[in-house]
Amino acid sequence: MVRLTRHPIDYHTLTEQVRRGNCGAVVTFLGTVRDLTGDKVTVALDYEAYAGMAEKKLTEIEADTRQRWPVGDLVLQHRLGRLEVGDVSVAVAVSCPHRAQAFEACRHAIDRLKELVPIWKKENWADGSTEWVHPGS
Amino acid sequence: MMIEVHLFARARDVAGTPRLSLDLPEKSTVGALRRRLREVFPGLVSLLDRSALAVNNEFAGDDVVLAPGAEVALLPPVSGG
């Protein structure tokens, strides 16, 4: 399973990949590049990763999610490089027997990803300036 | 012992390099490495205080002892997703 990619995320294939006969629910979350942060206009985002550790953390989040919910299957994929407004930066697809479990498992996986995985984005603002995003500053 | 530190995002831009080698006494801790980074890059201090350090691809607290050849990375607050 490729977890980091420089190519567009094929979320249709990822969603199909987790479908199971014993699972009545599939939830796919897509993170997409937003055009506005406050009143500042984004043209593009540049994503970079500490790749080895990012892969490791994504694998751990997958295992942790499987342990907490009755997951049929689960995939996490994050895109790196330059993304423009509307592009998909991250996808989480998960199947479970019932929908509440699938929603919770998907929420858990994306929340942990945003908290733990060493990936960073740089804003390319419409005025030509750039800024790394480091939450908490 | 020489310890190589990988830098990312704004930390790399401020330091002006993706990697640097620091000469530290044997059995130095992650905390000692942090202090050295503060001395070498005063401009990094405020970001450094909010950053995690990783040793061999795992988050490492200040009390972790560094072994020669350890892979160390300075990780500013992450913003994936």
Side-chain angles (χ1 to χ4, degrees), chain A residues 38-87:
Chain A
D39 55 0
K40 297 184 86 172
V41 179
T42 297
V43 173
L45 295 176
D46 294 309
Y47 282 91
E48 72 168 34
Y50 180 26
M53 184 171 171
E55 297 262 8
K56 180 178 177 224
K57 288 292 149 195
L58 289 168
T59 305
E60 288 173 5
I61 289 166
E62 195 181 307
D64 175 56
T65 306
R66 286 175 187 275
Q67 205 170 12
R68 290 166 184 252
W69 285 275
V71 170
D73 207 352
L74 163 68
V75 293
L76 295 134
Q77 201 172 84
H78 203 297
R79 189 173 167 190
L80 303 174
R82 171 149 300 201
L83 277 70
E84 295 178 350
V85 172
D87 285 347

Side-chain angles (χ1 to χ4, degrees), chain A residues 7 12 18 21 25 31 47 57 63-65 67 75 82 86 88 90-91 105 107-109 111 118-119 122 125:
Chain A
H7 302 291
H12 181 77
V18 301
Y47 282 91
K57 288 292 149 195
D64 175 56
T65 306
Q67 205 170 12
V75 293
R82 171 149 300 201
V88 176
V90 63
R107 175 72 187 261
H108 175 79
D111 285 355
I119 295 176
K122 184 168 71 177
W125 302 114

Side-chain angles (χ1 to χ4, degrees), chain B residues 46-60:
Chain B
S46 63
L47 185 59
L48 190 58
D49 288 348
R50 301 194 292 117
S51 297
L53 278 150
V55 178
N56 298 330
N57 289 327
E58 192 50 71
F59 293 107

